[in-house]
Amino acid sequence: MIATATAKTYQNYIGGEWADSSSGATGENRNPARPGEILGHFQSSAIADVDRAMDAAHGALDGWRKMSPIARGNILYKASQIVERRADEIGEALTREEGKTLKEGKGETLRASAILRFFAGETAQPVGDRLPSSNPTTFLYTERVPLGVVAAITPWNFPIAIPAWKIAPALAYGNTVVFKPAELTPLTATLLVECLAEAGLPPGVLNLVTGSGRAIGDAIVGHEAVNAITFTGSNEVGKALYRRALDSERGVKVQLEMGGKNPVIVLNDADLDLALTQTINGAMMSSGQKCTATSRAFVQRGVYDEFVDKLIARAGSLRVGDPLAATTDLGPLVSAGQRDSVMDYIGIGRAEGGEMVTGGAPEELGDGYFVKPTIFTGIAPTGRLAQEEIFGPVLAVLPIDDPAEGLALANSVKYGLSASIFTRDIATAFGFIRDIDAGIIHVNSETAGAEPHAPFGGMKASSSFSREQGKTAVDFFTQVKTVYFDWAYKAPLADKEEGAGAPA
Ligand code: ADP
C-alpha cells in the first residue's frame, strides 16, 4: 500500500512546464477498492490556471497549425509507442485509480495507443475535396482547417481512451488543446500527457489543468480563447455547457457525448448461450460504468424463464473484489458517491415494485465501493430503473411478446447510444437495424465496446449528433474553407451554363 506521507504531488502541465496551481491547493486521489490508499495529490486548479493554459494554447496555435500534418503525425505516432511501452504501468495506475480490472485497465491503455496511431496515420490522408468549376480556369477545392483552441473535458470511466480519442484528432488536424480530466482520474490523465510531452509536442500545444469541473468548468467553457469544446459526461453538465457555449456568441463548436440506457433484445430463436454471455459482459464488466453498458434486456417469452435463471446463475458466479487480482471479474465502483447513487437506484427499483433476483451490496469486501452484479425483474418499462442511466452493474430484465414490442420498448427512452439484438432471423435483424434509435448497433454481440477506428456516438439525448473516433472525427475537429482559384486571371465565361457563377 502507498502510504499517505509518501504519495506524490502531481502538477498541471501548461506551456510545456509542469507547474503548481495558483490556488496552492491540492486534492487527494484515492483507490476505490481500498479508500485508505492515497495515489497522489493533484492540483485543485483555479481560474488563473485556466487563463494561463488558454493563453499557452492560443500562443502555440499559429506554429502548430502551420506545421506539416506529417510532422504532427510523427509526434502522435511516437506518443502511441510511448503509451504502448508504458502500458503495464499506466494500466495498473488506471486500475488503482478507477477500479476496473487490471486486464481492462491495460486493454484500455493499449486502445489509447491504437487511437494515437490511427490519428498519426490520418495526418497522411487526403482532407478536403477537388470540385469541378463552371469556369474552366478555376481550380475549385475545399480545405479543412483547424478550429483553434479545443477544450477537452472528460469523464472518469475511460480515463485514457476518451481523452486520447479527443486529444489525438484535435492535435492531428492542427488544433491546440486545454485538457480538463475528471476529478476522480487525474493520475491516468497525467500519465497520458507525460507520454505526449515526451513524444515532442511543442510547448503550449497540449495543456493539462486538473481540478473540479464546478470550480473551473465555467471558466474553461466561457473563455474567450476557446473555439471548440469536446465533452463526455453527464447529460445535465453537457446540456448546461452547450447553453453557455451558445450564449457566448463567439461561434464555439460543441461536441457532447452523454450516456445511454442501452437495450438488448433476446428472441426465441437466439443462440441463448451467446446472448447470455454477451448480456452479462455488456451489463457487468467495468461494473457497468460504460456509456454503452447494457442496462435493459428485453427477452421473448419463449426463452424468458430459462434466460433469467441462467442470468442469475452467471451473475452470481462473477467474482467481485480487488481489481488488481487476476481472478477478479468486477472491481469497485469509482467512488463512494457512485456506489451510493447505484444503491439508491436499487432502492428505487424495489420501491417501484421490482424484484432484485440477485445482487446488492457485498458483505465481506472491506471498505471498497463494491456492488454485486444486480438483476431486477418485474420492473415497469416506464419505471425509473428502466428509464434512467444508472452507471453501475444493474440490469433490468423485461419480457416481450414479439420483436415489435421489444423494438418499441427499446426505443422508449430519451437515450440512443448503443443497442443489440440476438436472433438468427436475417429480416428481423435488418428491421432492427433500420428502426432502432441508436448510433451503435450490434447483432449477436454485446452493446458495450467499440473499435478504435470506428465512428462512436449516439442519437437523441446521448450525443450532439457528431461522431467521435475514426474517419468521422475530422468533421468535428476541422472547419471547411472553399477556395475558388482562377489561374488564368479571367472573369467567368459569358456563355456559361445557367446559374453558374451566380453570386450566392
Ligand atoms: P460524471 O457523472 O461522469 O462525473 P460529469 O458531467 O459530472 O459526469 O463530469 C464530466 C466532466 O465534466 C468532468 O471532467 C467534470 O469535472 C466536468 N464538469 C463538471 N461540471 C462542469 C461544469 N459546470 N462545467 C464544465 N465541466 C464540468
Side-chain angles (χ1 to χ4, degrees), residues 13 18 75-87 89-90 109 116 160 188-201 206:
Y13 185 68
W18 294 97
I75 295 173
L76 291 177
Y77 186 67
K78 206 163 166 200
S80 87
Q81 291 178 306
I82 297 167
V83 170
E84 189 174 2
R85 193 187 74 217
R86 294 180 63 181
E89 170 210 349
I90 298 175
T109 305
L116 287 160
I160 191 163
T188 313
T190 302
L191 298 176
L192 174 64
V193 171
E194 277 180 17
C195 295
L196 281 149
E198 187 188 332
L201 282 181
L206 172 64

PDB file of all heavy atoms in Angstrom, residues 13 18 75-87 89-90 109 116 160 188-201 206:
ATOM      1  N   TYR A  13       0.168  20.852 -16.407  1.00  0.00           N
ATOM      2  CA  TYR A  13       1.152  20.976 -17.489  1.00  0.00           C
ATOM      3  C   TYR A  13       0.679  22.130 -18.377  1.00  0.00           C
ATOM      4  O   TYR A  13      -0.332  22.025 -19.070  1.00  0.00           O
ATOM      5  CB  TYR A  13       1.206  19.672 -18.274  1.00  0.00           C
ATOM      6  CG  TYR A  13       2.274  19.637 -19.337  1.00  0.00           C
ATOM      7  CD1 TYR A  13       3.625  19.619 -18.997  1.00  0.00           C
ATOM      8  CD2 TYR A  13       1.932  19.609 -20.687  1.00  0.00           C
ATOM      9  CE1 TYR A  13       4.605  19.567 -19.972  1.00  0.00           C
ATOM     10  CE2 TYR A  13       2.909  19.551 -21.675  1.00  0.00           C
ATOM     11  CZ  TYR A  13       4.247  19.533 -21.309  1.00  0.00           C
ATOM     12  OH  TYR A  13       5.215  19.484 -22.279  1.00  0.00           O
ATOM     13  N   TRP A  18       5.668  21.695 -16.151  1.00  0.00           N
ATOM     14  CA  TRP A  18       4.862  21.157 -15.049  1.00  0.00           C
ATOM     15  C   TRP A  18       4.855  22.204 -13.947  1.00  0.00           C
ATOM     16  O   TRP A  18       5.907  22.731 -13.575  1.00  0.00           O
ATOM     17  CB  TRP A  18       5.453  19.834 -14.554  1.00  0.00           C
ATOM     18  CG  TRP A  18       5.369  18.759 -15.606  1.00  0.00           C
ATOM     19  CD1 TRP A  18       6.365  18.392 -16.467  1.00  0.00           C
ATOM     20  CD2 TRP A  18       4.230  17.958 -15.934  1.00  0.00           C
ATOM     21  NE1 TRP A  18       5.910  17.400 -17.325  1.00  0.00           N
ATOM     22  CE2 TRP A  18       4.595  17.107 -17.015  1.00  0.00           C
ATOM     23  CE3 TRP A  18       2.928  17.860 -15.430  1.00  0.00           C
ATOM     24  CZ2 TRP A  18       3.713  16.191 -17.590  1.00  0.00           C
ATOM     25  CZ3 TRP A  18       2.053  16.949 -15.995  1.00  0.00           C
ATOM     26  CH2 TRP A  18       2.443  16.126 -17.064  1.00  0.00           C
ATOM     27  N   ILE A  75       4.763  12.976 -34.346  1.00  0.00           N
ATOM     28  CA  ILE A  75       4.757  13.140 -32.883  1.00  0.00           C
ATOM     29  C   ILE A  75       3.675  12.237 -32.266  1.00  0.00           C
ATOM     30  O   ILE A  75       3.903  11.554 -31.259  1.00  0.00           O
ATOM     31  CB  ILE A  75       4.535  14.620 -32.505  1.00  0.00           C
ATOM     32  CG1 ILE A  75       5.722  15.463 -32.994  1.00  0.00           C
ATOM     33  CG2 ILE A  75       4.344  14.772 -31.004  1.00  0.00           C
ATOM     34  CD1 ILE A  75       5.546  16.958 -32.827  1.00  0.00           C
ATOM     35  N   LEU A  76       2.503  12.207 -32.889  1.00  0.00           N
ATOM     36  CA  LEU A  76       1.431  11.341 -32.357  1.00  0.00           C
ATOM     37  C   LEU A  76       1.840   9.875 -32.418  1.00  0.00           C
ATOM     38  O   LEU A  76       1.533   9.085 -31.514  1.00  0.00           O
ATOM     39  CB  LEU A  76       0.130  11.556 -33.139  1.00  0.00           C
ATOM     40  CG  LEU A  76      -0.547  12.912 -32.951  1.00  0.00           C
ATOM     41  CD1 LEU A  76      -1.785  13.019 -33.847  1.00  0.00           C
ATOM     42  CD2 LEU A  76      -0.939  13.138 -31.492  1.00  0.00           C
ATOM     43  N   TYR A  77       2.539   9.515 -33.487  1.00  0.00           N
ATOM     44  CA  TYR A  77       2.972   8.117 -33.608  1.00  0.00           C
ATOM     45  C   TYR A  77       3.959   7.771 -32.490  1.00  0.00           C
ATOM     46  O   TYR A  77       3.870   6.711 -31.866  1.00  0.00           O
ATOM     47  CB  TYR A  77       3.598   7.863 -34.984  1.00  0.00           C
ATOM     48  CG  TYR A  77       3.906   6.400 -35.179  1.00  0.00           C
ATOM     49  CD1 TYR A  77       2.861   5.473 -35.279  1.00  0.00           C
ATOM     50  CD2 TYR A  77       5.214   5.935 -35.188  1.00  0.00           C
ATOM     51  CE1 TYR A  77       3.129   4.122 -35.410  1.00  0.00           C
ATOM     52  CE2 TYR A  77       5.485   4.580 -35.319  1.00  0.00           C
ATOM     53  CZ  TYR A  77       4.441   3.676 -35.435  1.00  0.00           C
ATOM     54  OH  TYR A  77       4.694   2.344 -35.542  1.00  0.00           O
ATOM     55  N   LYS A  78       4.859   8.705 -32.234  1.00  0.00           N
ATOM     56  CA  LYS A  78       5.818   8.476 -31.152  1.00  0.00           C
ATOM     57  C   LYS A  78       5.083   8.343 -29.817  1.00  0.00           C
ATOM     58  O   LYS A  78       5.401   7.472 -29.002  1.00  0.00           O
ATOM     59  CB  LYS A  78       6.807   9.657 -31.109  1.00  0.00           C
ATOM     60  CG  LYS A  78       8.127   9.312 -30.520  1.00  0.00           C
ATOM     61  CD  LYS A  78       9.173  10.343 -30.873  1.00  0.00           C
ATOM     62  CE  LYS A  78      10.373  10.152 -29.983  1.00  0.00           C
ATOM     63  NZ  LYS A  78      11.211  11.340 -29.908  1.00  0.00           N
ATOM     64  N   ALA A  79       4.091   9.183 -29.612  1.00  0.00           N
ATOM     65  CA  ALA A  79       3.303   9.104 -28.365  1.00  0.00           C
ATOM     66  C   ALA A  79       2.608   7.747 -28.256  1.00  0.00           C
ATOM     67  O   ALA A  79       2.546   7.156 -27.167  1.00  0.00           O
ATOM     68  CB  ALA A  79       2.279  10.234 -28.310  1.00  0.00           C
ATOM     69  N   SER A  80       2.113   7.236 -29.381  1.00  0.00           N
ATOM     70  CA  SER A  80       1.432   5.926 -29.329  1.00  0.00           C
ATOM     71  C   SER A  80       2.415   4.840 -28.897  1.00  0.00           C
ATOM     72  O   SER A  80       2.069   3.932 -28.147  1.00  0.00           O
ATOM     73  CB  SER A  80       0.795   5.582 -30.678  1.00  0.00           C
ATOM     74  OG  SER A  80       1.701   4.931 -31.528  1.00  0.00           O
ATOM     75  N   GLN A  81       3.663   4.970 -29.359  1.00  0.00           N
ATOM     76  CA  GLN A  81       4.675   3.971 -28.972  1.00  0.00           C
ATOM     77  C   GLN A  81       5.034   4.094 -27.491  1.00  0.00           C
ATOM     78  O   GLN A  81       5.254   3.084 -26.823  1.00  0.00           O
ATOM     79  CB  GLN A  81       5.930   4.145 -29.829  1.00  0.00           C
ATOM     80  CG  GLN A  81       5.696   3.752 -31.285  1.00  0.00           C
ATOM     81  CD  GLN A  81       6.943   3.974 -32.116  1.00  0.00           C
ATOM     82  OE1 GLN A  81       7.491   5.072 -32.131  1.00  0.00           O
ATOM     83  NE2 GLN A  81       7.386   2.943 -32.798  1.00  0.00           N
ATOM     84  N   ILE A  82       5.084   5.327 -27.006  1.00  0.00           N
ATOM     85  CA  ILE A  82       5.429   5.520 -25.583  1.00  0.00           C
ATOM     86  C   ILE A  82       4.304   4.963 -24.696  1.00  0.00           C
ATOM     87  O   ILE A  82       4.558   4.277 -23.703  1.00  0.00           O
ATOM     88  CB  ILE A  82       5.703   7.018 -25.286  1.00  0.00           C
ATOM     89  CG1 ILE A  82       6.926   7.486 -26.086  1.00  0.00           C
ATOM     90  CG2 ILE A  82       5.912   7.249 -23.801  1.00  0.00           C
ATOM     91  CD1 ILE A  82       7.114   9.000 -26.112  1.00  0.00           C
ATOM     92  N   VAL A  83       3.062   5.242 -25.086  1.00  0.00           N
ATOM     93  CA  VAL A  83       1.928   4.696 -24.314  1.00  0.00           C
ATOM     94  C   VAL A  83       1.995   3.168 -24.317  1.00  0.00           C
ATOM     95  O   VAL A  83       1.805   2.515 -23.280  1.00  0.00           O
ATOM     96  CB  VAL A  83       0.577   5.193 -24.881  1.00  0.00           C
ATOM     97  CG1 VAL A  83      -0.586   4.452 -24.242  1.00  0.00           C
ATOM     98  CG2 VAL A  83       0.429   6.702 -24.674  1.00  0.00           C
ATOM     99  N   GLU A  84       2.295   2.593 -25.466  1.00  0.00           N
ATOM    100  CA  GLU A  84       2.378   1.125 -25.558  1.00  0.00           C
ATOM    101  C   GLU A  84       3.512   0.595 -24.669  1.00  0.00           C
ATOM    102  O   GLU A  84       3.337  -0.386 -23.937  1.00  0.00           O
ATOM    103  CB  GLU A  84       2.609   0.730 -27.015  1.00  0.00           C
ATOM    104  CG  GLU A  84       2.487  -0.765 -27.246  1.00  0.00           C
ATOM    105  CD  GLU A  84       2.588  -1.120 -28.726  1.00  0.00           C
ATOM    106  OE1 GLU A  84       2.779  -0.228 -29.572  1.00  0.00           O
ATOM    107  OE2 GLU A  84       2.492  -2.313 -29.012  1.00  0.00           O
ATOM    108  N   ARG A  85       4.650   1.284 -24.726  1.00  0.00           N
ATOM    109  CA  ARG A  85       5.796   0.851 -23.907  1.00  0.00           C
ATOM    110  C   ARG A  85       5.457   0.910 -22.420  1.00  0.00           C
ATOM    111  O   ARG A  85       5.873   0.062 -21.638  1.00  0.00           O
ATOM    112  CB  ARG A  85       6.982   1.784 -24.215  1.00  0.00           C
ATOM    113  CG  ARG A  85       8.325   1.306 -23.710  1.00  0.00           C
ATOM    114  CD  ARG A  85       9.388   2.370 -23.917  1.00  0.00           C
ATOM    115  NE  ARG A  85       9.247   3.462 -22.964  1.00  0.00           N
ATOM    116  CZ  ARG A  85       9.466   4.742 -23.238  1.00  0.00           C
ATOM    117  NH1 ARG A  85       9.812   5.121 -24.460  1.00  0.00           N
ATOM    118  NH2 ARG A  85       9.323   5.670 -22.308  1.00  0.00           N
ATOM    119  N   ARG A  86       4.664   1.904 -22.015  1.00  0.00           N
ATOM    120  CA  ARG A  86       4.337   2.091 -20.592  1.00  0.00           C
ATOM    121  C   ARG A  86       2.992   1.461 -20.225  1.00  0.00           C
ATOM    122  O   ARG A  86       2.418   1.775 -19.177  1.00  0.00           O
ATOM    123  CB  ARG A  86       4.322   3.591 -20.265  1.00  0.00           C
ATOM    124  CG  ARG A  86       5.680   4.262 -20.388  1.00  0.00           C
ATOM    125  CD  ARG A  86       5.631   5.747 -20.056  1.00  0.00           C
ATOM    126  NE  ARG A  86       5.235   6.006 -18.669  1.00  0.00           N
ATOM    127  CZ  ARG A  86       5.114   7.244 -18.169  1.00  0.00           C
ATOM    128  NH1 ARG A  86       5.344   8.306 -18.917  1.00  0.00           N
ATOM    129  NH2 ARG A  86       4.745   7.413 -16.903  1.00  0.00           N
ATOM    130  N   ALA A  87       2.467   0.573 -21.078  1.00  0.00           N
ATOM    131  CA  ALA A  87       1.091   0.085 -20.884  1.00  0.00           C
ATOM    132  C   ALA A  87       0.893  -0.645 -19.555  1.00  0.00           C
ATOM    133  O   ALA A  87      -0.170  -0.524 -18.929  1.00  0.00           O
ATOM    134  CB  ALA A  87       0.681  -0.808 -22.048  1.00  0.00           C
ATOM    135  N   GLU A  89       2.473  -0.152 -16.675  1.00  0.00           N
ATOM    136  CA  GLU A  89       2.471   0.842 -15.595  1.00  0.00           C
ATOM    137  C   GLU A  89       1.204   1.706 -15.630  1.00  0.00           C
ATOM    138  O   GLU A  89       0.545   1.909 -14.603  1.00  0.00           O
ATOM    139  CB  GLU A  89       3.722   1.726 -15.791  1.00  0.00           C
ATOM    140  CG  GLU A  89       3.788   2.943 -14.925  1.00  0.00           C
ATOM    141  CD  GLU A  89       4.552   4.091 -15.608  1.00  0.00           C
ATOM    142  OE1 GLU A  89       5.190   3.868 -16.660  1.00  0.00           O
ATOM    143  OE2 GLU A  89       4.461   5.219 -15.086  1.00  0.00           O
ATOM    144  N   ILE A  90       0.843   2.185 -16.818  1.00  0.00           N
ATOM    145  CA  ILE A  90      -0.334   3.060 -16.916  1.00  0.00           C
ATOM    146  C   ILE A  90      -1.608   2.257 -16.633  1.00  0.00           C
ATOM    147  O   ILE A  90      -2.507   2.717 -15.925  1.00  0.00           O
ATOM    148  CB  ILE A  90      -0.402   3.741 -18.302  1.00  0.00           C
ATOM    149  CG1 ILE A  90       0.836   4.622 -18.520  1.00  0.00           C
ATOM    150  CG2 ILE A  90      -1.679   4.574 -18.430  1.00  0.00           C
ATOM    151  CD1 ILE A  90       0.929   5.244 -19.910  1.00  0.00           C
ATOM    152  N   THR A 109      -5.531   1.060 -22.010  1.00  0.00           N
ATOM    153  CA  THR A 109      -4.298   1.796 -22.308  1.00  0.00           C
ATOM    154  C   THR A 109      -3.800   1.465 -23.715  1.00  0.00           C
ATOM    155  O   THR A 109      -3.403   2.365 -24.483  1.00  0.00           O
ATOM    156  CB  THR A 109      -3.225   1.444 -21.254  1.00  0.00           C
ATOM    157  OG1 THR A 109      -3.761   1.712 -19.957  1.00  0.00           O
ATOM    158  CG2 THR A 109      -1.965   2.250 -21.466  1.00  0.00           C
ATOM    159  N   LEU A 116      -4.038   6.816 -30.889  1.00  0.00           N
ATOM    160  CA  LEU A 116      -2.970   7.757 -31.273  1.00  0.00           C
ATOM    161  C   LEU A 116      -2.341   7.338 -32.603  1.00  0.00           C
ATOM    162  O   LEU A 116      -2.052   8.171 -33.464  1.00  0.00           O
ATOM    163  CB  LEU A 116      -1.899   7.811 -30.172  1.00  0.00           C
ATOM    164  CG  LEU A 116      -2.327   8.554 -28.902  1.00  0.00           C
ATOM    165  CD1 LEU A 116      -1.451   8.152 -27.714  1.00  0.00           C
ATOM    166  CD2 LEU A 116      -2.247  10.070 -29.123  1.00  0.00           C
ATOM    167  N   ILE A 160      -8.263   7.011 -20.001  1.00  0.00           N
ATOM    168  CA  ILE A 160      -7.228   7.257 -21.008  1.00  0.00           C
ATOM    169  C   ILE A 160      -7.792   7.172 -22.427  1.00  0.00           C
ATOM    170  O   ILE A 160      -7.395   7.948 -23.298  1.00  0.00           O
ATOM    171  CB  ILE A 160      -5.986   6.337 -20.828  1.00  0.00           C
ATOM    172  CG1 ILE A 160      -4.838   6.821 -21.724  1.00  0.00           C
ATOM    173  CG2 ILE A 160      -6.294   4.869 -21.086  1.00  0.00           C
ATOM    174  CD1 ILE A 160      -3.469   6.286 -21.359  1.00  0.00           C
ATOM    175  N   THR A 188      -4.255   8.983 -14.372  1.00  0.00           N
ATOM    176  CA  THR A 188      -4.174   8.432 -15.728  1.00  0.00           C
ATOM    177  C   THR A 188      -4.015   9.561 -16.743  1.00  0.00           C
ATOM    178  O   THR A 188      -3.243   9.450 -17.700  1.00  0.00           O
ATOM    179  CB  THR A 188      -5.436   7.607 -16.041  1.00  0.00           C
ATOM    180  OG1 THR A 188      -5.704   6.745 -14.936  1.00  0.00           O
ATOM    181  CG2 THR A 188      -5.250   6.777 -17.283  1.00  0.00           C
ATOM    182  N   ALA A 189      -4.743  10.652 -16.510  1.00  0.00           N
ATOM    183  CA  ALA A 189      -4.652  11.806 -17.419  1.00  0.00           C
ATOM    184  C   ALA A 189      -3.228  12.353 -17.454  1.00  0.00           C
ATOM    185  O   ALA A 189      -2.684  12.657 -18.527  1.00  0.00           O
ATOM    186  CB  ALA A 189      -5.624  12.892 -16.961  1.00  0.00           C
ATOM    187  N   THR A 190      -2.632  12.446 -16.269  1.00  0.00           N
ATOM    188  CA  THR A 190      -1.269  12.981 -16.187  1.00  0.00           C
ATOM    189  C   THR A 190      -0.289  12.072 -16.931  1.00  0.00           C
ATOM    190  O   THR A 190       0.608  12.548 -17.640  1.00  0.00           O
ATOM    191  CB  THR A 190      -0.856  13.121 -14.697  1.00  0.00           C
ATOM    192  OG1 THR A 190      -1.796  13.986 -14.053  1.00  0.00           O
ATOM    193  CG2 THR A 190       0.544  13.692 -14.558  1.00  0.00           C
ATOM    194  N   LEU A 191      -0.469  10.761 -16.783  1.00  0.00           N
ATOM    195  CA  LEU A 191       0.437   9.823 -17.458  1.00  0.00           C
ATOM    196  C   LEU A 191       0.301   9.932 -18.980  1.00  0.00           C
ATOM    197  O   LEU A 191       1.295   9.866 -19.718  1.00  0.00           O
ATOM    198  CB  LEU A 191       0.176   8.394 -16.978  1.00  0.00           C
ATOM    199  CG  LEU A 191       0.430   8.168 -15.472  1.00  0.00           C
ATOM    200  CD1 LEU A 191       0.058   6.745 -15.067  1.00  0.00           C
ATOM    201  CD2 LEU A 191       1.874   8.478 -15.091  1.00  0.00           C
ATOM    202  N   LEU A 192      -0.922  10.124 -19.462  1.00  0.00           N
ATOM    203  CA  LEU A 192      -1.115  10.309 -20.909  1.00  0.00           C
ATOM    204  C   LEU A 192      -0.400  11.580 -21.386  1.00  0.00           C
ATOM    205  O   LEU A 192       0.284  11.571 -22.428  1.00  0.00           O
ATOM    206  CB  LEU A 192      -2.615  10.382 -21.238  1.00  0.00           C
ATOM    207  CG  LEU A 192      -2.949  10.716 -22.697  1.00  0.00           C
ATOM    208  CD1 LEU A 192      -2.459   9.626 -23.650  1.00  0.00           C
ATOM    209  CD2 LEU A 192      -4.455  10.930 -22.882  1.00  0.00           C
ATOM    210  N   VAL A 193      -0.560  12.642 -20.623  1.00  0.00           N
ATOM    211  CA  VAL A 193       0.090  13.907 -21.017  1.00  0.00           C
ATOM    212  C   VAL A 193       1.607  13.751 -20.979  1.00  0.00           C
ATOM    213  O   VAL A 193       2.313  14.263 -21.860  1.00  0.00           O
ATOM    214  CB  VAL A 193      -0.409  15.069 -20.128  1.00  0.00           C
ATOM    215  CG1 VAL A 193       0.409  16.334 -20.374  1.00  0.00           C
ATOM    216  CG2 VAL A 193      -1.887  15.336 -20.400  1.00  0.00           C
ATOM    217  N   GLU A 194       2.109  13.014 -19.986  1.00  0.00           N
ATOM    218  CA  GLU A 194       3.560  12.753 -19.949  1.00  0.00           C
ATOM    219  C   GLU A 194       4.028  12.111 -21.255  1.00  0.00           C
ATOM    220  O   GLU A 194       5.063  12.470 -21.805  1.00  0.00           O
ATOM    221  CB  GLU A 194       3.893  11.792 -18.793  1.00  0.00           C
ATOM    222  CG  GLU A 194       4.028  12.459 -17.441  1.00  0.00           C
ATOM    223  CD  GLU A 194       4.369  11.433 -16.344  1.00  0.00           C
ATOM    224  OE1 GLU A 194       4.805  10.286 -16.646  1.00  0.00           O
ATOM    225  OE2 GLU A 194       4.187  11.788 -15.190  1.00  0.00           O
ATOM    226  N   CYS A 195       3.255  11.136 -21.737  1.00  0.00           N
ATOM    227  CA  CYS A 195       3.647  10.423 -22.972  1.00  0.00           C
ATOM    228  C   CYS A 195       3.651  11.376 -24.165  1.00  0.00           C
ATOM    229  O   CYS A 195       4.572  11.348 -24.996  1.00  0.00           O
ATOM    230  CB  CYS A 195       2.683   9.267 -23.250  1.00  0.00           C
ATOM    231  SG  CYS A 195       2.753   7.972 -22.006  1.00  0.00           S
ATOM    232  N   LEU A 196       2.637  12.223 -24.251  1.00  0.00           N
ATOM    233  CA  LEU A 196       2.555  13.152 -25.380  1.00  0.00           C
ATOM    234  C   LEU A 196       3.665  14.201 -25.291  1.00  0.00           C
ATOM    235  O   LEU A 196       4.233  14.595 -26.311  1.00  0.00           O
ATOM    236  CB  LEU A 196       1.171  13.804 -25.416  1.00  0.00           C
ATOM    237  CG  LEU A 196       0.089  12.890 -26.012  1.00  0.00           C
ATOM    238  CD1 LEU A 196      -1.273  13.160 -25.413  1.00  0.00           C
ATOM    239  CD2 LEU A 196       0.041  13.068 -27.535  1.00  0.00           C
ATOM    240  N   ALA A 197       3.966  14.629 -24.068  1.00  0.00           N
ATOM    241  CA  ALA A 197       5.046  15.614 -23.907  1.00  0.00           C
ATOM    242  C   ALA A 197       6.382  14.997 -24.296  1.00  0.00           C
ATOM    243  O   ALA A 197       7.178  15.604 -25.032  1.00  0.00           O
ATOM    244  CB  ALA A 197       5.070  16.117 -22.465  1.00  0.00           C
ATOM    245  N   GLU A 198       6.602  13.765 -23.841  1.00  0.00           N
ATOM    246  CA  GLU A 198       7.872  13.081 -24.162  1.00  0.00           C
ATOM    247  C   GLU A 198       8.020  12.864 -25.674  1.00  0.00           C
ATOM    248  O   GLU A 198       9.118  12.865 -26.218  1.00  0.00           O
ATOM    249  CB  GLU A 198       7.923  11.728 -23.430  1.00  0.00           C
ATOM    250  CG  GLU A 198       9.271  11.030 -23.569  1.00  0.00           C
ATOM    251  CD  GLU A 198       9.254   9.599 -23.019  1.00  0.00           C
ATOM    252  OE1 GLU A 198       8.468   9.306 -22.101  1.00  0.00           O
ATOM    253  OE2 GLU A 198      10.031   8.778 -23.553  1.00  0.00           O
ATOM    254  N   ALA A 199       6.892  12.717 -26.344  1.00  0.00           N
ATOM    255  CA  ALA A 199       6.936  12.486 -27.794  1.00  0.00           C
ATOM    256  C   ALA A 199       7.370  13.725 -28.567  1.00  0.00           C
ATOM    257  O   ALA A 199       7.650  13.636 -29.764  1.00  0.00           O
ATOM    258  CB  ALA A 199       5.569  12.015 -28.282  1.00  0.00           C
ATOM    259  N   GLY A 200       7.385  14.891 -27.886  1.00  0.00           N
ATOM    260  CA  GLY A 200       7.938  16.075 -28.537  1.00  0.00           C
ATOM    261  C   GLY A 200       6.939  17.136 -28.948  1.00  0.00           C
ATOM    262  O   GLY A 200       7.221  17.944 -29.837  1.00  0.00           O
ATOM    263  N   LEU A 201       5.774  17.178 -28.295  1.00  0.00           N
ATOM    264  CA  LEU A 201       4.838  18.261 -28.609  1.00  0.00           C
ATOM    265  C   LEU A 201       5.480  19.599 -28.250  1.00  0.00           C
ATOM    266  O   LEU A 201       6.031  19.745 -27.156  1.00  0.00           O
ATOM    267  CB  LEU A 201       3.552  18.124 -27.788  1.00  0.00           C
ATOM    268  CG  LEU A 201       2.512  17.107 -28.220  1.00  0.00           C
ATOM    269  CD1 LEU A 201       1.323  17.166 -27.267  1.00  0.00           C
ATOM    270  CD2 LEU A 201       2.050  17.335 -29.650  1.00  0.00           C
ATOM    271  N   LEU A 206      -0.444  21.183 -25.968  1.00  0.00           N
ATOM    272  CA  LEU A 206      -1.352  20.440 -25.085  1.00  0.00           C
ATOM    273  C   LEU A 206      -1.113  20.909 -23.655  1.00  0.00           C
ATOM    274  O   LEU A 206       0.027  20.921 -23.192  1.00  0.00           O
ATOM    275  CB  LEU A 206      -1.072  18.933 -25.182  1.00  0.00           C
ATOM    276  CG  LEU A 206      -1.817  18.056 -24.176  1.00  0.00           C
ATOM    277  CD1 LEU A 206      -3.333  18.105 -24.388  1.00  0.00           C
ATOM    278  CD2 LEU A 206      -1.330  16.598 -24.267  1.00  0.00           C
TER     279      LEU A 206
END
